[in-house]
Amino acid sequence: MAGQSSPEAHSEEGSEPGPLLPEHSVLSLDEYLAMQRAIGDEIRFRLLRTLKARGDMSAKELETALEIEGNKLHYHLNKLVDVGLVQNRKRKEPDSSGLFSYYRASALGEAILEHGVEELIRDEWQSLERYSK
């Protein structure tokens, strides 16, 4: 957009930061911050990370994989769904196990992991490898 610049363009010391979001941002700052708060919880982070790695999973599969009891699991899944990091997919017909509902990481959920906490963890691993030689 004309007149709009990225936050990186205003990183000089002593200068005022530029606009945080583009004029016609898809999400509001509150929505972005809600996503960050959602994955700030270890259980929700683990849920999202598992869904990103494994793809579609039922609540029962997640309960077993992460050893989280059903009520607690659904509470955290609902938080992730509410902020748009996880999608709840419902099937019209049950699968061979009789399950109708599956969860999956949304594109935003995958991106927030890839370019957020997981990136920091990767950087730490790379630093350890570099300085342990």
Side-chain angles (χ1 to χ4, degrees):
M1 307 232 144
Q4 294 288 324
S5 57
S6 69
E8 294 82 23
H10 295 283
S11 62
E12 295 177 30
E13 191 174 324
S15 68
E16 290 294 318
L20 190 57
L21 296 173
E23 185 177 341
H24 299 290
S25 179
V26 175
L27 300 173
S28 71
L29 179 58
D30 285 343
E31 290 169 316
Y32 281 115
L33 293 175
M35 288 178 193
Q36 284 297 130
R37 283 190 299 274
I39 66 158
D41 179 270
E42 183 180 347
I43 291 172
R44 291 192 289 267
F45 174 79
R46 289 175 51 222
L47 279 167
L48 185 56
R49 188 169 182 261
T50 299
L51 289 169
K52 180 183 173 217
R54 296 189 187 179
D56 292 3
M57 294 181 77
S58 69
K60 192 54 121 177
E61 290 169 327
L62 285 164
E63 191 176 326
T64 302
L66 296 173
E67 298 177 353
I68 300 171
E69 62 186 56
N71 289 340
K72 187 182 232 183
L73 174 78
H74 284 284
Y75 169 80
H76 289 289
L77 277 171
N78 287 338
K79 290 277 189 187
L80 291 169
V81 169
D82 288 347
V83 298
L85 298 177
V86 167
Q87 297 170 328
N88 184 355
R89 301 282 190 181
K90 303 214 188 300
R91 294 184 175 167
K92 292 181 186 199
E93 298 291 326
D95 70 1
S96 59
S97 304
L99 298 171
F100 285 92
S101 183
Y102 285 84
Y103 294 88
R104 72 169 9 147
S106 69
L108 281 171
E110 289 185 9
I112 205 165
L113 283 178
E114 181 68 26
H115 302 290
V117 176
E118 286 183 341
E119 188 171 319
L120 291 171
I121 292 170
R122 277 192 306 275
D123 288 349
E124 182 175 1
W125 276 107
Q126 289 172 355
S127 292
L128 284 172
E129 289 174 6
R130 229 183 345 258
Y131 296 112
S132 65
K133 293 180 183 182

